[in-house]
Amino acid sequence: MVAKVIKNDREYEAALERIEALMDAARDTPEGDELELLTTLVEVYEDKHFPINLPDPIEAIRFRMQQAGLKQQDLVPFIGSRSKVSEILAGKRPLSLKMIRALHQQLGIPAEVLLREPGGKIPEELPNLQCERFPLKEMARRGWIAAQQQGASKLKDQAEELVRQFLRPLTVCGIKPGLLRPRQHVRSGSTMDEYALLAWCVRVIATAQQQSVADYHPANLAPEVMQRLVQLSYLDSGPLLAREFLGKNGIHLIVLRHLPRTHLDGAAMMLSSGKPVVALTLRYDRLDNFWFTLFHELGHVKLHFEKDKDACFFDDLDVDPEGLEVQADEFAQNSLISPMDWQSTSARHERTPHAVLQLAHALRVHPAIIAGRIRREQKNYRLLASLVGQHEARKHFPDAEKGDSG
């Protein structure tokens, strides 16, 4: 027969029969060479289809304990506590990467056995990250991570594995988590939880990666384009139409509820594809907040990304602006209502619902935009409360908490 790669069981059985027929062949003869080649091909097929099972990790640990005369309490430094040791040895708790790393380094148990993966190697620890500090419980509740076991303690045990999987969108973008934070601009009146902020940012990026948008060019944010965008606010489905409009102009619009201790209204960042991402949290469920935050983040894209495409902006708009934030606020304010229109209107002085509605109709924009402008300038958030579109923003993005509103 002509020796060739074995592709199925029929060819495998035929090769075994031929090997049996050639068992007495002498070396360095055509039959001997055929026997040697067939034997190699069979071994390759068997390694792929009939691998030798690795020892069970728990059995390997018990065997090593017996060899070294160790008791359960001697495993505490490697596993974490007596109760965890008992659960691990009883098969009630999975080994974490942290445990596997310690058992391999300190007890010499092969990595491939502990990983249950032939030839497996234990990955190095993630640099500059404390995985257990991520808001794992909330991330699991929202479906951002797939935890094998629930409960704060068990989630912390799985922290490294869960975070590694969760951070993959950054790897796809060519971003290293340790390099993300130094380039970000955070506008916040409170201390941001940097791990919650990073988790939110990664989820935004992952959602954007699933979204298809057109090519982006800075001209896509020209004043006439912004004018068409703001006039979408006049329509009942304005927020959804804004997402579609921005997508056709190469900009991702992601709506994702903020995580606790992040105090976020919105963010702006650039993907490695060269396409901007604008993300809104709808922390305040009002249309005036939706439109102002949207244009504020577009201001960062328009004004600041050409100089620094690696920057990220995270904004709590309750905080008084400084520096670049002043510029983004002014961009939003002037894009939503032109300075000429604002200076010439009586609505800014009268501050009545009638005046606001009249101006909104003339400009073909939602009254919430005008009411919000008056409230911000007067610093009086009791004014015109009936016109700011209370409870009218989130309804357009029902999946925003999970991060599926991309």
Side-chain angles (χ1 to χ4, degrees), residues 204 208 251-254 267-271 275-279 301 305:
V204 166
I251 300 169
H252 298 273
L253 174 57
I254 308 299
M269 61 197 78
M270 187 76 80
L271 298 182
K275 297 175 181 180
V277 178
V278 167
V301 176
F305 279 0

Side-chain angles (χ1 to χ4, degrees), residues 49-343:
H49 295 275
F50 313 115
I52 298 173
N53 290 331
L54 292 169
D56 179 80
I58 305 306
E59 291 177 3
I61 294 171
R62 289 188 180 278
F63 178 73
R64 189 69 185 93
M65 291 171 65
Q66 185 179 6
Q67 277 187 320
L70 301 175
K71 299 179 181 179
Q72 286 196 19
Q73 65 186 33
D74 296 320
L75 298 185
V76 170
F78 316 132
I79 291 178
S81 69
R82 289 191 177 189
S83 62
K84 287 182 182 180
V85 172
S86 296
E87 288 182 299
I88 291 292
L89 294 178
K92 296 179 179 178
R93 194 183 193 114
L95 287 168
S96 69
L97 275 176
K98 185 177 181 180
M99 297 173 189
I100 288 172
R101 203 173 278 119
L103 290 167
H104 171 65
Q105 292 173 352
Q106 303 301 321
L107 298 185
I109 302 173
E112 63 177 5
V113 172
L114 294 169
L115 293 168
R116 298 186 178 187
E117 180 184 331
K121 295 182 179 180
I122 302 170
E124 295 182 4
E125 294 184 64
L126 291 168
N128 305 319
L129 286 179
Q130 300 174 43
C131 295
E132 66 278 2
R133 288 185 59 188
F134 280 84
L136 300 171
K137 186 175 181 181
E138 180 64 15
M139 291 162 68
R141 186 188 73 79
R142 297 191 185 193
W144 295 7
I145 53 176
Q148 294 180 12
Q149 294 183 315
Q150 300 296 324
S153 173
K154 293 180 179 179
L155 282 172
K156 284 190 176 182
D157 277 350
Q158 304 169 59
E160 185 178 346
E161 295 92 319
L162 295 171
V163 169
R164 280 181 179 278
Q165 180 70 23
F166 182 70
L167 292 179
R168 282 187 180 179
L170 291 190
T171 306
V172 172
C173 283
I175 301 172
K176 295 181 179 179
L179 298 177
L180 185 64
R181 294 191 295 276
R183 303 302 298 275
Q184 59 187 41
H185 303 268
V186 180
R187 172 178 173 178
S188 174
S190 305
T191 302
M192 285 273 192
D193 181 329
E194 60 179 347
Y195 283 88
L197 185 62
L198 177 56
W200 184 86
C201 179
V202 172
R203 184 66 179 182
V204 166
I205 291 172
T207 306
Q209 287 173 345
Q210 298 170 9
Q211 187 186 65
S212 177
V213 302
D215 292 334
Y216 173 73
H217 188 276
N220 296 3
L221 289 178
E224 60 272 16
V225 179
M226 293 296 91
Q227 181 63 22
R228 290 199 296 272
L229 176 60
V230 71
Q231 287 185 337
L232 293 177
S233 69
Y234 197 60
L235 304 173
D236 291 340
S237 56
L240 282 177
L241 292 172
R243 183 174 66 182
E244 180 181 351
F245 181 86
L246 288 172
K248 290 181 177 180
N249 282 280
I251 300 169
H252 298 273
L253 174 57
I254 308 299
V255 178
L256 178 63
R257 293 285 294 277
H258 69 292
L259 287 167
R261 294 177 296 175
T262 56
H263 315 286
L264 275 177
D265 288 299
M269 61 197 78
M270 187 76 80
L271 298 182
S272 58
S273 64
K275 297 175 181 180
V277 178
V278 167
L280 308 181
T281 68
L282 304 186
R283 182 162 64 119
Y284 299 114
D285 186 8
R286 303 191 318 264
L287 288 177
D288 69 316
N289 177 263
F290 173 88
W291 290 105
F292 185 83
T293 307
L294 174 60
F295 275 80
H296 176 93
E297 303 307 339
L298 289 172
H300 284 310
V301 176
K302 173 70 173 177
L303 303 173
H304 305 136
F305 279 0
E306 287 190 35
K307 295 180 180 178
D308 187 0
K309 288 184 171 59
D310 293 327
C312 300
F313 293 87
F314 300 97
D315 296 310
D316 173 356
L317 297 185
D318 288 342
V319 177
D320 289 337
E322 296 180 356
L324 301 181
E325 295 300 324
V326 172
Q327 297 174 13
D329 272 1
E330 289 177 350
F331 177 89
Q333 181 173 282
N334 295 334
S335 296
L336 290 167
I337 308 173
S338 74
M340 182 179 298
D341 287 331
W342 190 243
Q343 290 300 321

Side-chain angles (χ1 to χ4, degrees), residues 3-22:
K4 60 180 183 178
V5 174
I6 299 171
K7 298 179 180 178
N8 52 51
D9 288 347
R10 180 179 57 79
E11 293 178 357
Y12 171 68
E13 293 295 337
L16 290 177
E17 289 181 12
R18 181 62 178 162
I19 287 172
E20 186 175 353
L22 295 171

